[in-house]
Amino acid sequence: MIVCVAVVGHQNNPLYIQSFTEADDALKLHHIVHCSLDVVDERVNNPKKSSPTLNETFLGLLYPTENYKVYGYLTNTKVKLILVTTDLDVRDADVRNFFRKFHAAYVDAVSNPFHVPGKKITSRTFAERVSTIVKSFGLSSAG
Amino acid sequence: MEPDVSIETSCMIRIAVLPMGSIAIPLFRDYTSMLVRHYTVSLSSISSFYTEHQKSPFAHQPWDSGSLRLKYMVGGSPASPWEDFQCNRKIFAVIGICHCPSSPDLHSVMDQFVTACKSYSSSVVQRCFAFCPGDSQLEDESFKGGNLILFPPADRQTQEFHLQTMMQDIAASLLMEFEKSVLQAESGGTILKTPLDSQASLSSEEVIKAKKRRLGRAQKTIGDYCLLAGSPVDANAHYSTSLELARLTGDFFWYAGAMEGSVCALLIDQMGQRDQVLDDEVKYRYNSVILHYRKSFIQDNAQRVSPLSFELEATLKLARYLCRKELAKEVVDLLTTAADGAKSLIDASDRLILYIEIARLFGTLGYHRKAAFFSRQVAQLYLQQENRLAAISSMQVLAMTTQAYRVQSRASTDHALYQESGQNHADGGKAHHNWIVSLFESQWSSIQMVVLKEILLSAVRGGDPLTAWSAAARLLRSYYPLITPAGQNGLASALSNASQRLPSGTRCADPALPFIRLHSFPLHSSQQDIVKRNHGRDDWWAGSAPSGPFIYTPFSKGEPSQSSKQELVWVVGEAVQVFVELANPCGFDLKVDSIYLSVNSGNFDAFPISVSLPPNSSKVIALSGIPTEVGSLKIPGCIVHCFGVITEHYFKDVDNLLVGAAQGLVLSDPFRCCGSPKLKNVTVPNISVVPPLPLLISCVVGCDGAIILYEGEIREVQISVANAGTVPIEQAHISLSGKNQDSIQSIAYETLKSSLPLKPGAEVRIPVTLKAWQLGFLDPDAASSKNISGSSGKQVKDGCSPVLLIHYAGPLAYSGDASTNGTIPPGRRLVVPLNICVSQGLSLVKARLLSMEIPAHVGEDHSKVQVETSSVEGSPRTDRFMKIDPYRGSWGLRFLELELSNPTDVVFEIGVSVNMEDSNNEENPEYDYPKTRIDRDYTARVLIPLEHFKLPVLDGTFLVKESQMNRIASRKSSFSEKSSKAEFNASIKNLISKIKVRWQSGRNNSGELNIKDAIQSALQSSVMDVLLPDPLTFGFRCGNNTVQDFAELNLDEESDIQGARKGSVRAHDMTPIEVLVRNNTKEMIKVSLSITCRDIAGENCVEGDKATVLWAGVLSSVTMEVPPLKEYRHSFSLYFLVPGEYTLLAAAVIDDANEMLRARAGANSCDEPIFCRGPPFHIRVNGTI
């Protein structure tokens, strides 16, 4: 189950963080996302070791922490998409698929002419779409 | 668990360092720092202290290259239960440090030392170092050969050398002790136990296995000693044996321990050389170590003791060994495993240490966020300990995380970033970039706020008010939009509580509220303008200011306002002001105890002021100060004393914040949410301070604000000019500028000139005569606005008043200052705006010409007939009333009637004066007429008799042209027409200029009405009649000389009786009458005179037709020739039959009239007879009694 998704700007500024848990652990998830940036930074700075091809946007598992696994995705504009999940065995293909849809949603959101680049994404449509994607991730992995 | 573990920890000899006697902490630290420098002691250096008592068990000791590693446990440490397992955990030596001057009794120190050493049962070497002993202590022989070592006072170098020798001695002793221990262990006398296997070994039935196990453990211990003794080869041999035995006996724990030792031996043997093969070997072996530690986990005593901490320690050791960027992934995996293991740790302090180590390793790896995350965990563990020291530790750990979370205190950041960013362009860009990044990262507000709150909490608990203040300030300043008003109030009270525990005047690097931005730098007030002096020119100010009619010139470099902003000149000793805007976006009242400009260059005295800001408000305030020294001056921000602490607020910070807010990167713009309008970014100009200049201050004497004048009012005002500077004024010049310059009638330039040089403090009064301009003509909009504002009539309007410019300057060189080599101090310009308010005064409604026709009486006085022509001599100047002589009449007298209205609320008095400037009078006679009073809101008419303007002679010069004009009109000669017209107009103007209508209101308001145009239009049609005399004047008188004499005789006594009789004629009497005909021209005139006498009932008998003529008689065709400018008298007699009022009328037809006369008469054709008629004269005929 996905507990948190986040969009982090190219200056490591959070653009969108949404947790999908009932528990009051938003701060913890913020910390997890924040810490994952270390790994993203490290992979970006040493690209030859992390990913076989330069154009690979999917960063894979960033790090496991406590009960969570953190996956990362880096767009060409250095926007990071972060996924925190509690599922222990996640298929890479599922995560890739999720990130592709998530990326498309993000692109649509920032294509809004009223969106100011660098500002937090406040679009409700985006939020709805992301939550749909998150729900479908759970379904597809189950099925 | 222990902090700071690494693979090499296994080969370090622990030495406890304890303070002895009474020793100051800094001094102890100083001695310790000298000591800890000797963390390795090479074997070669200790060989001289080493004596071989028996054959050394360390067969392969590398005497030439090896060394002993020492680890100083400052303050000592408690004994570990795992000492048997790992020998390096033992404290082998105790060093006491004593400062002799503060603890003179060395015996008691030694006693204390011996007691202290007792708690270190494993220690084999004890030394007490006593520094700086006195002479008596040095001479005390009782310590010779003991453990007390005195370090005689000497310079640092000598002391260090002495210390080094002592350490080598200790190292040698330790080496010898290790040899003993090894020999003892080989004998197998001791049973080595760990807390882990205390019960398990007892239950063991297999004696052989137990013996082997004991042997294996002994071998490991020997290996440990070999490692400590710096002999890795020996150690490796023993470890190999131990590993074999442990593997056989299934003693996994000791197997892992031996493996750890073997890795350490391997590393020492490699002497710091690292390569891939070695790394792989270490990794492989350590993975095995970790595995075996895990294997040694025994379920039944897991509650009490667990090898988990060793497993984690091993993990950390490996992580530390591998900790490099290239291997980040492996290290992260190790650390993640370690962090996961933390939950199983029983001891809280173990977990603390683990987290500390994980945080440090992540930090080393460059994973600052993770390091910060674990540091925060550490801080939370500290906070759980609920004591003050732990809280302080928590606070300090959190302070380390602030950089990763971008909430660091400004005290810890580079000040250069704030200061220099404007200086160097490249650096500035970089700094800007850094700043932008920090701005972006500052959006993790939820995390950041938590960190700051925790710092605040730990600082409060730990009793560090300054840190608490700083944290609360950062929290409030950065996150106020996310904090509820109640929370803001809580922070405000936290700030004030913290400040109560701070000494007054404490400074903090982190500003709290309010937000301060630069509002504007007022340029010099017009009073203090500095003008560059153009040396060598008399008008030295010329060319310094942009001149010309254009506000913008394309040739001037840059924007004029821009350039003036870049350079600002302040003068030493003259107060200046800077406007700043403060904002308090929070929900509480903010009281700023004092705020003043912060100037680093130290040549500025700033004046603090205190401000109070209501919730959610902003305020623009002026901060002032006085530059004190010549040089450049920078104002980076303000010093604010608020919430009991002094902070410096940089303008740049707020500017950045506002930029961020504009880009949507920062939560909120504090000024905008306070309702302050958006402001252009104000740059701090380069301010240079120049030496003192003279300073003129002006004021208009006797009026505070505007000089209120009525239209046309003339007043002399005094402008007081004082030198408020410290330098005398040597040059000064007044010039005029602005609109309505002609309203200044005179300025006493000489007064200023004569008072130069104007010493400091001196004052001059310059009289200036002002005349108020006409309202309606110059600013019609003002007049219209007056209509709106009712009858107040006051016009305060900028820009229509004239301005006095006073350029002034001090001496040509700075007094006694060689540093300014040859530059001329600038001059200054004082702008004195004469704030004139012209209020509407009297206004002319209309002007018209009236004629008054009063017939004269026929009297006896002959001379009076001529008054019409010669009245100039007869009337005294002081005659203020116009008198109509009954014997002269005022036939043809014309009055100029001015209708004036007074819309003001004061009373005006109108005085008319006529100024005669005739060439035949040496003095200018003036006719003053009595004053007319016009009350407020009333209209009055003023009559001006136009009686004295008639020329004495009907001169051709004027009329020829006039007549020519008539003739020329047919010829259409435009040139002469024009010239004659001009002449004509000039004469009218001349006439008009003689009439002055002055008014007076109150005591000191007086002026002149400007009504020339009105008079001119009124006079235009009939100016000829006013100006020119008739060619002939007629007069009548009774020819009776006796009557005249009689009248003259009795004039004084019986004037009334005689006056009644005078001029009276009886009926039925022959009355001799003379008619006087005067020729006013310069030529002989031949006339045919006719005299009509009628008795009429009506007033006007001249026209004849309407009047009822009762009696009439005509005397006609009296031909006479009148010489030029002479009179001709024609006597005749009348016999009245009926008493009554008769009118005598003389008329003449001029024969052979010349051009001039025709022109005067306005004749149209040459054949027309020129008819001349005199005024009617009354004659009263009394009846006979």
Side-chain angles (χ1 to χ4, degrees):
Chain A
M1 171 192 161
I2 294 179
V3 292
C4 181
V5 293
V7 182
V8 180
H10 75 294
Q11 297 285 8
N12 290 338
N13 50 322
L15 298 175
Y16 181 81
I17 293 191
Q18 184 62 53
S19 54
F20 298 94
T21 55
E22 259 82 77
D24 186 22
D25 53 0
L27 182 66
K28 189 164 122 192
L29 292 169
H30 277 213
H31 269 297
I32 288 170
V33 173
H34 187 247
C35 288
S36 72
L37 297 175
D38 274 335
V39 190
V40 176
D41 277 355
E42 196 255 335
R43 301 234 177 143
V44 171
N45 293 335
N46 309 320
K48 63 178 191 296
K49 295 208 78 177
S50 57
S51 60
T53 56
L54 277 174
N55 288 332
E56 175 66 302
T57 50
F58 179 57
L59 299 173
L61 178 67
L62 296 179
Y63 72 111
T65 171
E66 298 178 50
N67 307 320
Y68 306 109
K69 283 186 163 184
V70 186
Y71 288 86
Y73 182 94
L74 181 71
T75 72
N76 288 331
T77 52
K78 299 268 194 289
V79 171
K80 294 117 196 162
L81 308 180
I82 308 287
L83 165 70
V84 185
T85 176
T86 49
D87 297 335
L88 289 178
D89 51 338
V90 185
R91 279 187 293 149
D92 242 20
D94 280 346
V95 182
R96 275 173 200 274
N97 196 24
F98 167 82
F99 273 129
R100 206 165 38 245
K101 286 193 261 181
F102 190 19
H103 190 187
Y106 167 75
V107 168
D108 287 353
V110 296
S111 301
N112 181 351
F114 297 105
H115 172 77
V116 180
K119 255 187 149 171
K120 292 201 174 183
I121 301 170
T122 51
S123 158
R124 224 179 304 129
T125 319
F126 177 74
E128 280 164 15
R129 206 167 147 190
V130 168
S131 71
T132 314
I133 298 169
V134 166
K135 278 187 193 115
S136 75
F137 175 81
L139 289 174
S140 73
S141 70
Chain B
M1 280 187 79
E2 288 177 345
D4 207 16
V5 287
S6 67
I7 294 176
E8 286 88 351
T9 310
S10 305
C11 62
M12 287 176 183
I13 306 162
R14 297 194 181 184
I15 299 171
V17 181
L18 304 172
M20 286 296 139
S22 60
I23 181 167
I25 298 290
L27 211 54
F28 178 63
R29 282 204 188 119
D30 186 40
Y31 293 139
T32 312
S33 73
M34 254 160 62
L35 196 60
V36 296
R37 222 171 289 159
H38 307 284
Y39 54 88
T40 56
V41 180
S42 66
L43 287 173
S44 55
S45 67
I46 64 173
S47 55
S48 54
F49 300 95
Y50 176 78
T51 47
E52 195 172 35
H53 297 291
Q54 64 259 14
K55 187 173 161 37
S56 169
F58 309 128
H60 305 281
Q61 197 152 36
W63 277 103
D64 45 352
S65 60
S67 58
L68 296 187
R69 289 166 178 78
L70 307 178
K71 183 174 181 179
Y72 298 94
M73 313 295 281
V74 177
S77 77
S80 162
W82 305 93
E83 276 180 0
D84 277 354
F85 176 58
Q86 287 174 331
C87 289
N88 62 300
R89 286 179 190 260
K90 285 181 187 166
I91 302 279
F92 288 104
V94 180
I95 294 176
I97 288 181
C98 160
H99 184 61
C100 292
S102 57
S103 40
D105 185 5
L106 288 177
H107 290 280
S108 72
V109 169
M110 275 314 289
D111 290 346
Q112 190 194 354
F113 180 66
V114 169
T115 318
C117 287
K118 276 191 182 134
S119 58
Y120 296 97
S121 55
S122 57
S123 71
V124 286
V125 179
Q126 287 116 15
R127 294 280 189 281
C128 188
F129 292 167
F131 290 93
C132 303
D135 289 346
S136 60
Q137 288 165 329
L138 279 171
E139 285 160 12
D140 194 344
E141 297 286 320
S142 59
F143 300 112
K144 271 263 165 82
N147 284 335
L148 184 72
I149 293 155
L150 298 172
F151 287 77
D155 60 355
R156 183 101 186 171
Q157 209 178 349
T158 317
Q159 272 196 343
E160 278 173 4
F161 183 71
H162 195 166
L163 191 63
Q164 190 186 359
T165 315
M166 284 302 136
M167 288 317 296
Q168 285 164 352
D169 178 37
I170 289 175
S173 310
L174 282 168
L175 186 57
M176 290 184 277
E177 290 296 327
F178 290 152
E179 286 172 359
K180 274 187 216 162
S181 304
V182 168
L183 292 174
Q184 198 181 355
E186 273 178 339
S187 66
T190 54
I191 294 172
L192 298 161
K193 271 186 189 170
T194 62
L196 198 62
D197 55 5
S198 54
Q199 281 159 351
S201 58
L202 273 175
S203 65
S204 175
E205 294 290 316
E206 302 162 56
V207 182
I208 302 166
K209 199 177 174 184
K211 194 183 175 191
K212 271 189 181 172
R213 185 176 279 191
R214 208 168 63 222
L215 204 60
R217 291 185 180 184
Q219 282 298 316
K220 188 216 173 266
T221 307
I222 294 165
D224 283 353
Y225 279 119
C226 292
L227 266 186
L228 293 172
S231 172
V233 179
D234 288 319
N236 208 22
H238 289 287
Y239 282 135
S240 306
T241 322
S242 169
L243 279 171
E244 190 68 22
L245 289 169
R247 192 171 51 84
L248 284 174
T249 54
D251 199 358
F252 298 127
F253 190 65
W254 285 79
Y255 180 88
M259 184 78 92
E260 267 197 277
S262 74
V263 177
C264 181
L266 179 66
L267 287 184
I268 290 175
D269 201 29
Q270 293 289 322
M271 313 260 297
Q273 307 282 320
R274 294 183 72 160
D275 55 22
Q276 187 65 40
V277 181
L278 181 67
D279 280 359
D280 288 344
E281 178 67 22
V282 169
K283 230 186 296 177
Y284 171 75
R285 287 204 205 175
Y286 248 96
N287 282 327
S288 160
V289 167
I290 294 163
L291 193 71
H292 281 92
Y293 275 132
R294 202 173 293 161
K295 265 193 196 165
S296 64
F297 179 75
I298 302 158
Q299 193 59 50
D300 54 348
N301 62 4
Q303 298 299 317
R304 193 175 50 82
V305 67
S306 154
L308 180 63
S309 60
F310 285 91
E311 181 194 332
L312 294 176
E313 249 183 38
T315 312
L316 290 177
K317 282 176 183 174
L318 179 58
R320 173 152 292 157
Y321 176 74
L322 295 175
C323 193
R324 267 168 293 159
K325 282 255 154 120
E326 314 83 86
L327 300 171
K329 198 166 158 48
E330 289 168 63
V331 178
V332 169
D333 285 345
L334 285 171
L335 291 175
T336 310
T337 321
D340 284 341
K343 271 171 283 182
S344 321
L345 277 175
I346 304 156
D347 193 356
S349 64
D350 276 359
R351 204 179 305 160
L352 192 67
I353 291 166
L354 179 69
Y355 279 146
I356 290 171
E357 290 301 308
I358 291 175
R360 288 170 74 176
L361 287 171
F362 269 126
T364 320
L365 211 54
Y367 281 30
H368 295 296
R369 298 183 187 86
K370 285 215 150 181
F373 176 79
F374 283 104
S375 303
R376 216 188 121 238
Q377 305 278 344
V378 172
Q380 278 177 330
L381 289 174
Y382 271 128
L383 270 183
Q384 283 166 12
Q385 291 183 16
E386 301 271 347
N387 67 55
R388 187 169 162 268
L389 289 173
I392 292 174
S393 303
S394 163
M395 189 186 79
Q396 284 167 347
V397 171
L398 282 170
M400 288 190 280
T401 70
T402 53
Q403 198 179 355
Y405 291 122
R406 311 268 177 198
V407 287
Q408 65 265 50
S409 163
R410 206 153 60 173
S412 65
T413 58
D414 192 9
H415 267 261
L417 192 133
Y418 293 93
Q419 303 282 319
E420 314 261 325
S421 58
Q423 299 255 316
N424 188 329
H425 211 77
D427 283 5
K430 201 173 171 188
H432 185 72
H433 179 75
N434 286 342
W435 167 76
I436 283 286
V437 170
S438 75
L439 203 63
F440 274 115
E441 294 232 351
S442 72
Q443 295 185 349
W444 294 94
S445 47
S446 51
I447 300 175
Q448 290 161 336
M449 281 172 69
V450 165
V451 171
L452 286 174
K453 274 180 196 161
E454 282 171 357
I455 293 178
L456 176 59
L457 181 67
S458 57
V460 168
R461 200 182 285 175
D464 185 344
L466 186 57
T467 310
W469 199 95
S470 156
R474 276 178 277 167
L475 201 53
L476 194 57
R477 188 175 172 91
S478 305
Y479 304 104
Y480 66 88
L482 301 174
I483 304 173
T484 58
Q488 291 174 354
N489 274 324
L491 284 175
S493 56
L495 284 171
S496 25
N497 286 344
S499 69
Q500 278 166 14
R501 305 175 59 190
L502 286 168
S504 70
T506 306
R507 282 176 174 263
C508 180
D510 298 296
L513 295 175
F515 291 92
I516 302 173
R517 69 172 164 185
L518 206 55
H519 183 267
S520 57
F521 270 93
L523 297 176
H524 277 292
S525 69
S526 57
Q527 304 258 324
Q528 301 174 358
D529 254 350
I530 292 176
V531 178
K532 195 166 167 261
R533 201 146 35 149
N534 190 353
H535 185 44
R537 280 183 68 163
D538 211 19
D539 48 346
W540 45 265
W541 56 90
S544 57
S547 56
F550 303 111
I551 295 169
Y552 170 74
T553 52
F555 307 110
S556 66
K557 279 177 198 137
E559 217 173 37
S561 61
Q562 192 73 29
S563 61
S564 64
K565 229 171 232 170
Q566 300 274 314
E567 294 291 332
L568 207 56
V569 177
W570 285 354
V571 182
V572 168
E574 285 181 23
V576 290
Q577 277 192 327
V578 175
F579 288 105
V580 297
E581 187 171 12
L582 312 183
N584 169 25
C586 291
F588 49 83
D589 272 314
L590 182 65
K591 176 105 179 57
V592 180
D593 296 326
S594 78
I595 172 170
Y596 55 94
L597 294 172
S598 106
V599 173
N600 299 333
S601 41
N603 53 354
F604 189 79
D605 280 348
F607 302 147
I609 61 170
S610 76
V611 193
S612 165
L613 287 162
N616 294 316
S617 69
S618 64
K619 208 180 252 184
V620 176
I621 56 166
L623 297 178
S624 51
I626 291 183
T628 52
E629 268 173 53
V630 178
S632 74
L633 199 147
K634 273 215 168 52
I635 304 180
C638 293
I639 305 277
V640 173
H641 186 229
C642 187
F643 292 116
V645 170
I646 297 167
T647 52
E648 182 161 19
H649 294 234
Y650 294 110
F651 295 134
K652 204 154 204 59
D653 287 352
V654 173
D655 286 346
N656 289 346
L657 186 73
L658 296 182
V659 170
Q663 292 174 359
L665 303 177
V666 183
L667 296 162
S668 165
D669 179 342
F671 290 93
R672 208 162 193 185
C673 71
C674 291
S676 166
K678 200 166 159 50
L679 197 70
K680 215 183 90 198
N681 210 353
V682 181
T683 51
V684 183
N686 295 330
I687 302 165
S688 55
V689 181
V690 299
L693 294 176
L695 176 63
L696 266 190
I697 287 176
S698 76
C699 69
V700 179
V701 176
C703 53
D704 307 331
I707 307 164
I708 299 169
L709 299 176
Y710 290 106
E711 282 176 292
E713 181 170 345
I714 296 168
R715 194 191 292 177
E716 187 186 276
V717 291
Q718 300 265 340
I719 292 175
S720 154
V721 174
N723 184 3
T726 53
V727 176
I729 295 169
E730 299 198 340
Q731 295 176 330
H733 179 268
I734 304 178
S735 55
L736 281 176
S737 166
K739 286 185 180 173
N740 291 322
Q741 289 186 20
D742 52 355
S743 65
I744 296 179
Q745 293 195 318
S746 71
I747 303 171
Y749 297 102
E750 321 75 41
T751 316
L752 182 62
K753 281 268 183 292
S754 63
S755 63
L756 292 178
L758 200 60
K759 291 265 182 291
E763 184 189 354
V764 186
R765 288 189 174 201
I766 307 169
V768 172
T769 311
L770 299 176
K771 182 180 178 189
W773 56 86
Q774 291 302 112
L775 267 188
F777 289 37
L778 289 164
D779 34 58
D781 53 341
S784 67
S785 72
K786 180 218 70 176
N787 287 341
I788 295 159
S789 64
S791 62
S792 69
K794 280 182 187 171
Q795 296 301 325
V796 181
K797 202 163 169 260
D798 285 342
C800 60
S801 295
V803 168
L804 285 185
L805 297 180
I806 305 180
H807 288 92
Y808 59 95
L812 275 171
Y814 291 111
S815 54
D817 194 355
S819 63
T820 54
N821 44 18
T823 53
I824 307 163
R828 296 190 114 169
R829 181 178 58 192
L830 171 68
V831 177
V832 188
L834 292 170
N835 202 353
I836 301 175
C837 282
V838 178
S839 52
Q840 200 187 20
L842 283 181
S843 68
L844 181 75
V845 179
K846 65 181 171 189
R848 60 180 172 170
L849 201 62
L850 298 176
S851 61
M852 186 175 278
E853 295 172 337
I854 302 167
H857 283 267
V858 177
E860 295 81 13
D861 189 359
H862 179 246
S863 65
K864 291 249 170 102
V865 178
Q866 296 180 13
V867 277
E868 203 172 3
T869 58
S870 60
S871 58
V872 171
E873 298 98 297
S875 296
R877 273 174 56 191
T878 49
D879 189 5
R880 295 170 58 91
F881 289 95
M882 183 194 162
K883 290 173 183 157
I884 294 173
D885 186 349
Y887 299 102
R888 200 185 104 207
S890 66
W891 200 259
L893 180 62
R894 283 176 167 78
F895 290 90
L896 185 63
E897 185 201 62
L898 301 176
E899 187 173 348
L900 300 170
S901 77
N902 178 7
T904 67
D905 45 7
V906 291
V907 175
F908 280 89
E909 283 189 333
I910 301 295
V912 177
S913 71
V914 176
N915 187 10
M916 298 303 292
E917 290 181 63
D918 280 359
S919 52
N920 54 350
N921 290 345
E922 55 276 3
E923 53 194 287
N924 292 347
E926 253 181 35
Y927 297 91
D928 279 329
Y929 297 101
K931 294 210 163 126
T932 312
R933 183 185 152 99
I934 308 179
D935 285 336
R936 43 187 281 200
D937 291 332
Y938 274 91
T939 305
R941 292 176 187 187
V942 178
L943 286 180
I944 306 167
L946 301 175
E947 55 175 339
H948 302 296
F949 298 109
K950 278 217 172 21
L951 299 171
V953 179
L954 183 58
D955 199 350
T957 53
F958 178 62
L959 270 175
V960 164
K961 278 171 190 157
E962 185 70 14
S963 61
Q964 266 174 356
M965 189 188 82
N966 288 341
R967 271 192 306 170
I968 286 160
S970 55
R971 290 185 205 159
K972 309 260 191 282
S973 168
S974 59
F975 170 73
S976 57
E977 184 179 356
K978 254 186 213 164
S979 69
S980 62
K981 191 104 181 169
E983 191 107 353
F984 179 63
N985 285 340
S987 65
I988 296 174
K989 280 215 179 94
N990 183 33
L991 164 64
I992 291 165
S993 68
K994 288 175 181 167
I995 304 170
K996 287 209 179 354
V997 182
R998 292 209 175 84
W999 53 262
Q1000 195 171 10
S1001 171
R1003 250 190 306 173
N1004 48 10
N1005 292 3
S1006 65
E1008 201 174 309
L1009 274 186
N1010 186 6
I1011 50 169
K1012 287 190 166 126
D1013 292 340
I1015 297 176
Q1016 184 162 5
S1017 63
L1019 290 182
Q1020 195 76 38
S1021 55
S1022 50
V1023 69
M1024 297 264 277
D1025 295 332
V1026 175
L1027 272 179
L1028 298 177
D1030 289 330
L1032 297 174
T1033 46
F1034 303 92
F1036 291 95
R1037 66 170 184 184
C1038 294
N1040 194 345
N1041 286 331
T1042 56
V1043 174
Q1044 187 188 359
D1045 294 342
F1046 177 76
E1048 281 177 357
L1049 276 173
N1050 297 297
L1051 201 61
D1052 294 337
E1053 298 124 32
E1054 299 172 292
S1055 59
D1056 47 349
I1057 303 163
Q1058 293 302 321
R1061 288 197 63 211
K1062 203 190 270 182
S1064 67
V1065 180
R1066 284 195 195 145
H1068 308 291
D1069 226 351
M1070 186 62 74
T1071 312
I1073 289 185
E1074 286 177 344
V1075 60
L1076 299 165
V1077 180
R1078 185 183 156 84
N1079 181 0
N1080 286 327
T1081 69
K1082 289 181 177 169
E1083 280 152 45
M1084 174 77 79
I1085 296 177
K1086 197 171 162 193
V1087 296
S1088 151
L1089 179 75
S1090 62
I1091 295 161
T1092 315
C1093 180
R1094 287 189 283 199
D1095 174 15
I1096 50 166
E1099 279 295 306
N1100 188 352
C1101 66
V1102 179
E1103 304 305 325
D1105 297 337
K1106 291 170 195 165
T1108 315
V1109 178
L1110 299 177
W1111 305 90
V1114 174
L1115 176 73
S1116 60
S1117 305
V1118 183
T1119 307
M1120 61 176 76
E1121 281 186 1
V1122 190
L1125 300 177
K1126 286 281 163 52
E1127 279 178 358
Y1128 185 85
R1129 187 182 304 174
H1130 176 77
S1131 300
F1132 61 98
S1133 293
L1134 288 175
Y1135 187 85
F1136 295 99
L1137 294 172
V1138 179
E1141 287 276 345
Y1142 287 83
T1143 300
L1144 280 175
L1145 199 66
V1149 175
I1150 300 170
D1151 297 339
D1152 305 329
N1154 60 11
E1155 295 268 337
M1156 183 185 71
L1157 292 174
R1158 280 180 195 284
R1160 175 70 184 91
N1164 293 324
S1165 63
C1166 315
D1167 324 333
E1168 208 178 327
I1170 302 302
F1171 187 72
C1172 224
R1173 196 171 64 177
F1177 280 74
H1178 279 253
I1179 185 161
R1180 184 169 190 85
V1181 179
N1182 298 329
T1184 47
I1185 305 158

